[in-house]
Amino acid sequence: MAKKRPREARGIDVELVEIYEDLANENETIRLKAAHALLTKLSLEQAPTTQDIEKALNRLIKGLSSGRKSARIGFSIALTELLTQLFGPDTQFTSGLHLNIEGVLEILQKQTHPVGSLPGQEQRDLYFGRLFGLEAVIKSDILFAPTRSFTLWDQVLDLIFELAKKKPWICEECGWILYEAIPRLSTNPITQYYTQAVVDKLHAHGLTKTPEGVAIWLSVRSLAPAVSLPKDVWHLDDPMDSKEKKTLAKVLIGHGNLKGQDDENFTQKGIWNSRLHFIWGVLRAAFAEVEDPYKKLLAKSKRMTQTTWARFWTEAVDNTLFSASASNERKFLGFQIFSKVLQEAPFFQLSMIFTKNLKKCLVNQLASSDRYLHKAALDTLRTMHARVDQPGQLWPESWPDKFRAGLSDPDLAARFLYDLQHVDGGLLFDQVTKTKTIEKLLRQARDESLYQIVKVHELMITLPKSEEDKSAEVQRRIVADRLVTILRTRKVRTSHDTKPEQDAWVREILYTFIGFAYFTPADSLRELRKPKPALSSTSRSMFRSRITSCLAHLLSIKTHVQADYAYHAICNIRHRQETETESESLMEADDNVQRSIQQAWKILDQIDKAERSIKEVDNQAHLRAMKLLYSLTILEVYNGTADAVSLLDELRICYDELIKPSRASNINSEASELLVEVLLSFVSKPSVLFRKLAQQVFTAFVTEINSAGLQSMLNVVLSKESTDGQQQMFDQELDEDGEVVNGNHARSDTEDDLSDVEVVDGVDVSSAGGTSDEESDGASSELSKANEAGSDTKENDEGNDELAAFDAKLAQALGTQGAGKDMAGASDQSSDSDMDDEQMMAIEPQLTQVFKERKLMTSKKEKKGAKETVVNFKLRVLDLLSIYTKKKHQDPTALKIIKPLLEAIRSTKSSQVSRKACQILSEYSKACKGKEIPRTDDNRSMWALLKDVYMQALTEGSNDYASACSSSSILLCKILVRADKTNFTGVGALYIETLSQPILQGNGKIRPSLLTDWNNWYSSLTSSLSNR
């Protein structure tokens, strides 16, 4: 059965229905097209009737009360343009239109008037419909034609103000419409009457002391000075007057005076609005105009009666919205205002908004995600970082270009860093708030601002917030670590062409640490500039450690100016000693030491002069290395290191033989060996800086290293990983019980995470890799609460547990209480309770056993420490051997490392040493290929060495050991075959003999790596021969 065709309703304009539907569309383009279509349909060319226009007006006004989609916006635009088309100055409807503005206002009131008892939402829709309708009337400018009656404007104002008083939530919208109208009404004297009417009606309706009233007042005073403002409302007719700041603060949070007469009779709004009121932007702009530095510069000096932006912010925001008793709603409003000012304010206003209560509230809300305003506080931080990335207008647009050209844009990151840290607890802002705010701001700061940032941190070290010695010590340590973090997270110059000011901040960090580490204020220095409290020896030691940490990082940078920073550091020390009158050196040295230092300075100046005279960077390697070595050795003298002065004497010999232009063509072998000994003395210390120093100097002089110098390094690799080995390498003395007396290479328990000390503790350290440029020693993160614990490390805790156990056993043997228990009671006992000789003899065996166990525990710890020290030393020497084999793999002398390294792999108990040595032999073998295979005339030694390696391959050992034997044997085979192809017969026979040993004689075991490596080498050899 066929469907019936739906019958079209009569009298319905389908096109109009679609237009009205599109006016409510959420797409702006569709709404504008619909508005244009409606205006075209009601244009004079289409000859619309009065009924058609009235019907359209009714439909549009009715649509203003709809909450559907974007109906209010679309219908408001269409109504504004239709009123302009009908009643505007260019209207073509001059006659025949039986409709006027009074009729439009009547329709608006009728359509938006609540009838009966309506639900709240329907009432709200009607009120907003009336508001949008009145806005359309104002924006169409149909009321302001010279021929219009002023009564129409009065009528519109009454409707707006009556509407404003109906509900608090609509009052702001009413005020915004009139605030936006003020600039248009103040353009010429004719329309100023309308502005005067706004002010009069505002006062008559008792809305002067409301946020909306303040905004209108300030706008009228600025744009229409001829308009007379109501008297006795604000002091000197100025809401920004200094005497009105408390009243203004109350008005802004909703305590408005509706009568406008009794200042004490405040009534509060009964609603909280999550959206920020526009008055805050108006006031900020008004204060910016008043406090404009350029206008102040041009204006004649006169008495300022207005409050300042800083005082207003403190009163209206900090004391009101962020006080301890403020509600969460008020604090949320405060965060909104803070974010808005961060987004829009010029620089001279931003410097005043980080007030005490605000920062305290910000830290509290950020401290835990459970806090009510945690998200709002995070939003303010995001806004702050966004403003730094896109600073926008830092100076007012009104400033002339000539005046602005002489100013450099300030760095907001530096400003915010100072503001966030310059408060109690600000040093630990990132730790307390669990954010990376300070760290990110340090990355965002411009290079030219870093110098001032460093100077601010220097002031924080000089005058910490606390006057208590221990607390000040902790704060200084935090600031020092922050400076190290700045250095490690920022890019440092990489060439000699860099301008001095571009890396001045790097040198200033070093100079800051130097001033606190090696000097003390002179008596002549003003008290305000002296550190308070005075620096402790612990703090000075910490600053010296931070100097080495900074220099270690700077040595990691791939640049030709690495040695410059160490040189600049010691030059700063010398400059302070010779010219500084406000500080005195802490170094106490006898005449011999002073002579050694002076002689070292002369040599160092010669090296620096020679380096600068050579233009080719590659030809400066020896000079740069010696310059770095001398600089850090002198620094060690100032650090009070025992053997530093003797090292200077040894370096002088090295300089004379290895550097001086007048040196003989044949290098003195003693100088080469002496240089190796000097470098070994540095790498023996658990310092990242000295490890990198040794690697760089060794790389520069590796071609000068002879067989004796190589043997000195191999002796270290073959040393025992025990107390005896430690004594042998470091010349340590032992007491009668075999315990170390003067060992200085173990790590102190008081070393902190940011120190330069590097330790092997059973896990891989960066030194094991040999080529790492960055250290994972905790420098990228700030000090946490663990910093305040000082030396309370895990090792200390274990030591305390052992001591407590020893105390308990001793007390048990003596039959007394522990040392920490009831000491007062014990002191009251009479002397009659002392033991006699027989009782002492009875407990002697127990006491002997207790002290024996204590000694055994101590011995275990010392053995463990000795092993770690030796292993660490071995790893650093292996790094040097790795450099040696890479640079001199063609030199037959390098073959001397094979047997010692195999022995080290077999005998060591450290997987790190074994793995590193195996890696060196493997890389050495791979590097020797083709024309780079070393040549030697001593074939007899090569055959003996190959046979010895094959014999070692049969012995029991780890996988690393088997792999190392295989790599070494292949290398020796390459050398013999290259020397003479006929040697392959002997090589093959020796290989077969080795493989037959486990089968024929039952001796040893062949690992798969020996077979695999041989097959790979044989395939490679035959392939290369067939291609010739």
Side-chain angles (χ1 to χ4, degrees):
M1 184 176 176
K3 273 188 174 182
K4 290 185 179 181
R5 184 177 179 180
R7 209 168 19 170
E8 294 184 3
R10 296 178 180 179
I12 295 179
D13 191 334
V14 178
E15 184 182 359
L16 268 179
V17 171
E18 292 178 352
I19 288 174
Y20 290 134
E21 179 66 26
D22 288 345
L23 283 176
N25 197 288
E26 293 179 346
N27 189 306
E28 183 181 6
T29 304
I30 296 176
R31 291 199 304 267
L32 293 176
K33 286 183 178 180
H36 183 266
L38 180 62
L39 294 175
T40 302
K41 195 172 184 63
L42 298 177
S43 64
L44 189 62
E45 290 79 4
Q46 300 297 325
T49 64
T50 302
Q51 184 179 5
D52 292 336
I53 293 175
E54 287 184 353
K55 193 177 292 185
L57 287 171
N58 275 281
R59 182 67 185 87
L60 289 175
I61 292 173
K62 186 177 181 181
L64 295 175
S65 299
S66 172
R68 182 171 61 93
K69 298 182 181 179
S70 299
R72 289 196 180 99
I73 298 174
F75 280 78
S76 177
I77 293 173
L79 179 59
T80 301
E81 296 302 322
L82 181 57
L83 291 176
T84 303
Q85 183 172 291
L86 295 175
F87 306 109
D90 299 328
T91 181
Q92 297 177 353
F93 292 91
T94 55
S95 60
L97 184 63
H98 303 291
L99 186 66
N100 54 25
I101 297 176
E102 289 86 346
V104 173
L105 293 176
E106 185 178 346
I107 294 172
L108 177 62
Q109 293 183 69
K110 184 178 179 181
Q111 289 280 5
T112 58
H113 180 67
V115 179
S117 178
L118 295 177
Q121 184 59 45
E122 292 186 17
Q123 255 190 27
R124 179 186 179 90
D125 290 339
L126 290 174
Y127 287 151
F128 272 113
R130 176 172 292 190
L131 180 65
F132 274 81
L134 293 171
E135 183 182 19
V137 172
I138 295 174
K139 286 186 175 180
S140 65
D141 288 336
I142 61 176
L143 298 176
F144 311 127
T147 58
R148 300 296 181 201
S149 172
F150 290 140
T151 58
L152 290 174
W153 179 238
D154 290 339
Q155 183 181 356
V156 169
L157 289 177
D158 285 332
L159 288 174
I160 291 175
F161 285 123
E162 288 296 334
L163 186 62
K165 293 191 293 185
K166 285 184 179 297
K167 298 291 182 181
W169 41 261
I170 206 170
C171 184
E172 179 183 351
E173 305 298 334
C174 296
W176 173 252
I177 291 173
L178 295 177
Y179 175 78
E180 276 198 317
I182 298 299
R184 296 202 307 275
L185 299 178
S186 305
T187 54
N188 59 75
I190 298 176
T191 57
Q192 282 198 3
Y193 166 79
Y194 297 95
T195 306
Q196 183 68 60
V198 172
V199 174
D200 294 341
K201 290 289 185 180
L202 178 73
H203 187 60
H205 284 273
L207 296 174
T208 311
K209 285 192 174 180
T210 61
E212 300 76 24
V214 173
I216 294 172
W217 188 291
L218 294 174
S219 180
V220 169
R221 191 187 63 176
S222 175
L223 300 175
V227 172
S228 61
L229 297 169
K231 301 297 182 183
D232 301 328
V233 177
W234 302 101
H235 186 263
L236 298 179
D237 297 336
D238 187 3
M240 296 164 57
D241 188 88
S242 59
K243 293 185 178 180
E244 296 285 6
K245 61 181 181 181
K246 290 188 177 181
T247 302
L248 181 61
K250 291 181 179 180
V251 168
L252 293 177
I253 62 172
H255 289 78
N257 182 359
L258 295 179
K259 294 184 179 181
Q261 295 176 355
D262 186 1
D263 288 344
E264 300 300 326
N265 185 21
F266 291 105
T267 57
Q268 185 178 4
K269 281 186 177 181
I271 191 169
W272 174 73
N273 190 355
S274 62
R275 188 179 61 184
L276 185 63
H277 199 289
F278 71 91
I279 180 58
W280 294 100
V282 175
L283 275 170
R284 187 208 58 74
F287 276 107
E289 184 178 0
V290 170
E291 299 183 4
D292 188 331
Y294 177 71
K295 292 183 178 179
K296 284 185 175 181
L297 187 65
L298 297 181
K300 296 180 180 179
S301 59
K302 60 180 182 179
R303 178 177 173 269
M304 295 292 293
T305 62
Q306 292 174 316
T307 188
T308 62
W309 165 252
R311 291 177 180 176
F312 164 76
W313 182 268
T314 301
E315 184 64 40
V317 179
D318 199 56
N319 293 342
T320 303
L321 302 180
F322 287 108
S323 65
S325 59
S327 63
N328 285 328
E329 290 78 12
R330 286 194 179 181
K331 291 177 181 177
F332 180 77
L333 174 62
F335 282 134
Q336 287 180 306
I337 299 168
F338 183 55
S339 294
K340 184 176 181 63
V341 175
L342 283 175
Q343 287 175 332
E344 302 175 356
F347 181 75
F348 60 85
Q349 284 188 321
L350 288 174
S351 60
M352 305 173 187
I353 61 175
F354 287 84
T355 41
K356 182 179 179 180
N357 292 335
L358 185 153
K359 286 190 282 190
K360 184 177 180 180
C361 181
L362 180 66
V363 170
N364 288 338
Q365 296 299 328
L366 289 170
S368 173
S369 57
D370 296 333
R371 301 288 166 83
Y372 188 75
L373 299 176
H374 180 74
K375 186 176 181 299
L378 284 177
D379 288 339
T380 62
L381 296 184
R382 296 189 190 101
T383 303
M384 180 174 63
H385 291 304
R387 182 68 192 275
V388 173
D389 289 333
Q390 298 179 348
Q393 194 68 36
L394 292 174
W395 306 117
E397 294 181 359
S398 58
W399 288 11
D401 294 337
K402 183 178 180 180
F403 182 73
R404 198 182 308 180
L407 300 171
S408 58
D409 287 342
D411 189 356
L412 293 182
R415 176 74 258 174
F416 294 151
L417 274 171
Y418 177 81
D419 290 330
L420 287 177
Q421 294 184 103
H422 205 67
V423 65
D424 292 340
L427 291 177
L428 294 173
F429 186 89
D430 281 0
Q431 288 71 35
V432 175
T433 62
K434 300 178 180 67
T435 64
K436 295 184 178 181
T437 306
I438 302 297
E439 184 179 331
K440 186 172 181 179
L441 285 174
L442 288 173
R443 292 197 302 268
Q444 289 178 300
R446 298 199 296 259
D447 286 346
E448 55 267 29
S449 301
L450 289 176
Y451 181 85
Q452 291 301 328
I453 292 175
V454 174
K455 297 300 289 183
V456 170
H457 282 72
E458 181 182 0
L459 179 61
M460 295 164 68
I461 293 174
T462 304
L463 300 173
K465 291 288 183 181
S466 175
E467 295 183 359
E468 190 179 78
D469 291 345
K470 193 65 178 178
S471 178
E473 192 175 289
V474 171
Q475 291 182 28
R476 283 167 172 158
R477 181 180 174 188
I478 293 171
V479 177
D481 293 340
R482 181 73 51 75
L483 290 175
V484 176
T485 301
I486 294 174
L487 181 68
R488 294 187 176 185
T489 56
R490 297 301 300 250
K491 186 177 181 180
V492 184
R493 71 181 179 125
T494 57
S495 71
H496 285 292
D497 299 331
T498 306
K499 297 179 181 179
E501 61 269 17
Q502 291 179 301
D503 72 334
W505 61 274
V506 180
R507 285 178 275 113
E508 189 60 30
I509 290 177
L510 293 173
Y511 298 165
T512 298
F513 289 154
I514 286 171
F516 292 118
Y518 302 109
F519 295 89
T520 185
D523 295 335
S524 59
L525 184 65
R526 290 187 303 170
E527 289 296 324
L528 292 176
R529 297 180 59 188
K530 291 182 180 180
K532 290 184 180 179
L535 288 169
S536 63
S537 58
T538 303
S539 293
R540 295 190 189 279
S541 177
M542 178 270 298
F543 286 123
R544 293 175 184 176
S545 174
R546 297 306 178 264
I547 293 173
T548 57
S549 295
C550 291
L551 293 176
H553 172 74
L554 292 170
L555 285 183
S556 302
I557 303 171
K558 298 296 184 181
T559 173
H560 298 300
V561 295
Q562 297 163 320
D564 288 357
Y565 292 108
Y567 177 69
H568 288 318
I570 60 169
C571 284
N572 181 261
I573 296 177
R574 178 170 65 170
H575 175 76
R576 288 173 185 258
Q577 283 183 320
E578 294 176 351
T579 63
E580 188 70 57
T581 60
E582 296 182 347
S583 60
E584 298 174 354
S585 176
L586 292 169
M587 180 182 178
E588 297 179 358
D590 56 27
D591 294 340
N592 293 330
V593 173
Q594 290 292 351
R595 278 195 297 270
S596 296
I597 295 176
Q598 292 303 319
Q599 189 175 24
W601 275 117
K602 290 179 181 179
I603 295 176
L604 189 55
D605 290 339
Q606 293 174 8
I607 296 174
D608 182 63
K609 184 178 179 180
E611 181 192 8
R612 295 180 184 278
S613 65
I614 300 176
K615 295 182 179 180
E616 295 78 9
V617 174
D618 293 338
N619 296 334
Q620 299 174 347
H622 285 75
L623 292 170
R624 287 199 307 269
M626 189 58 69
K627 179 180 178 179
L628 177 62
L629 190 55
Y630 253 106
S631 298
L632 293 182
T633 305
I634 294 175
L635 187 64
E636 281 296 278
V637 174
Y638 283 100
N639 285 335
T641 305
D643 58 347
V645 177
S646 62
L647 285 178
L648 287 178
D649 298 333
E650 295 174 357
L651 284 180
R652 180 177 53 80
I653 299 175
C654 295
Y655 171 75
D656 292 340
E657 296 294 333
L658 301 175
I659 296 295
K660 267 190 176 181
S662 59
R663 63 178 177 149
S665 58
N666 296 323
I667 301 298
N668 188 338
S669 60
E670 293 183 2
S672 173
E673 186 177 356
L674 185 58
L675 178 63
V676 172
E677 294 296 334
V678 170
L679 295 181
L680 289 178
S681 69
F682 276 106
V683 296
S684 67
K685 301 172 183 178
S687 167
V688 178
L689 174 62
F690 294 147
R691 176 173 61 83
K692 293 181 178 180
L693 163 69
Q695 290 177 4
Q696 293 197 18
V697 175
F698 188 81
T699 302
F701 288 97
V702 67
T703 56
E704 316 293 346
I705 304 301
N706 58 15
S707 178
L710 179 61
Q711 188 60 47
S712 296
M713 293 187 288
L714 294 175
N715 290 338
V716 175
V717 176
L718 292 173
S719 60
K720 297 179 181 179
E721 297 169 1
S722 62
T723 306
D724 293 339
Q726 184 183 27
Q727 178 196 9
Q728 180 182 357
M729 285 191 295
F730 301 122
D731 295 328
Q732 295 174 331
E733 298 177 4
L734 300 182
D735 61 13
E736 58 183 5
D737 296 319
E739 297 180 358
V740 176
V741 175
N742 64 339
N744 295 321
H745 298 280
R747 183 178 189 266
S748 170
D749 289 337
T750 59
E751 289 291 349
D752 52 78
D753 294 335
L754 271 181
S755 72
D756 188 52
V757 174
E758 187 175 52
V759 183
V760 177
D761 56 358
V763 296
D764 285 343
V765 295
S766 52
S767 63
T771 58
S772 175
D773 290 328
E774 295 297 332
E775 303 303 322
S776 55
D777 56 359
S780 60
S781 60
E782 300 292 338
L783 286 176
S784 60
K785 293 181 180 178
N787 296 123
E788 301 177 8
S791 60
D792 294 337
T793 59
K794 181 179 179 179
E795 291 79 3
N796 284 352
D797 293 337
E798 293 176 355
N800 292 336
D801 293 340
E802 293 175 0
L803 186 61
F806 170 73
D807 181 63
K809 290 180 179 180
L810 183 61
Q812 184 179 4
L814 294 173
T816 63
Q817 293 181 329
K821 296 180 181 180
D822 198 19
M823 293 298 294
S827 63
D828 292 337
Q829 298 295 325
S830 65
S831 59
D832 295 337
S833 62
D834 294 340
M835 294 184 180
D836 54 26
D837 293 342
E838 294 182 0
Q839 290 174 320
M840 289 296 295
M841 291 294 292
I843 66 171
E844 183 178 358
Q846 299 179 22
L847 291 176
T848 302
Q849 182 63 26
V850 170
F851 283 102
K852 185 177 180 180
E853 292 177 1
R854 173 63 175 170
K855 181 179 178 181
L856 181 62
M857 292 168 58
T858 305
S859 177
K860 288 181 178 179
K861 289 184 65 176
E862 289 178 351
K863 289 179 180 179
K864 180 181 178 182
K867 178 185 176 182
E868 290 178 352
T869 302
V870 176
V871 168
N872 192 22
F873 192 12
K874 283 187 176 183
L875 288 172
R876 290 163 178 253
V877 173
L878 287 172
D879 287 339
L880 300 183
L881 289 173
S882 177
I883 296 172
Y884 184 87
T885 55
K886 288 177 182 178
K887 298 291 184 181
K888 297 187 67 175
H889 58 273
Q890 289 183 280
D891 189 344
T893 307
L895 295 172
K896 292 185 176 182
I897 72 169
I898 293 177
K899 286 187 68 175
L901 289 189
L902 289 177
E903 176 63 23
I905 296 172
R906 189 178 62 83
S907 61
T908 184
K909 295 181 181 179
S910 169
S911 61
Q912 297 169 334
V913 172
S914 174
R915 191 161 52 249
K916 181 63 180 177
C918 180
Q919 179 185 353
I920 291 173
L921 290 174
S922 176
E923 292 177 351
Y924 182 25
S925 178
K926 292 177 181 177
C928 296
K929 57 184 179 181
K931 295 181 180 181
E932 296 187 354
I933 297 176
R935 292 181 179 272
T936 177
D937 297 330
D938 190 3
N939 287 337
R940 180 179 296 181
S941 298
M942 289 298 99
W943 285 109
L945 181 58
L946 178 60
K947 186 175 182 179
D948 186 55
V949 170
Y950 275 140
M951 292 302 295
Q952 290 194 46
L954 294 172
T955 60
E956 289 290 335
S958 63
N959 291 332
D960 286 340
Y961 180 68
S963 178
C965 289
S966 178
S967 299
S968 301
S969 66
I970 296 299
L971 172 60
L972 296 172
C973 290
K974 289 179 183 179
I975 296 172
L976 289 169
V977 172
R978 184 184 182 185
D980 187 349
K981 290 182 182 179
T982 60
N983 285 337
F984 183 78
T985 303
V987 167
L990 188 57
Y991 177 69
I992 294 299
E993 181 184 350
T994 304
L995 294 182
S996 65
Q997 289 287 335
I999 298 174
L1000 300 179
Q1001 300 181 15
N1003 294 331
K1005 179 181 180 183
I1006 298 297
R1007 297 294 180 97
S1009 58
L1010 189 66
L1011 301 171
T1012 304
D1013 291 345
W1014 171 271
N1015 290 335
N1016 291 338
W1017 173 67
Y1018 179 78
S1019 299
S1020 175
L1021 178 63
T1022 54
S1023 176
S1024 63
L1025 292 175
S1026 63
N1027 292 334
R1028 290 181 180 179

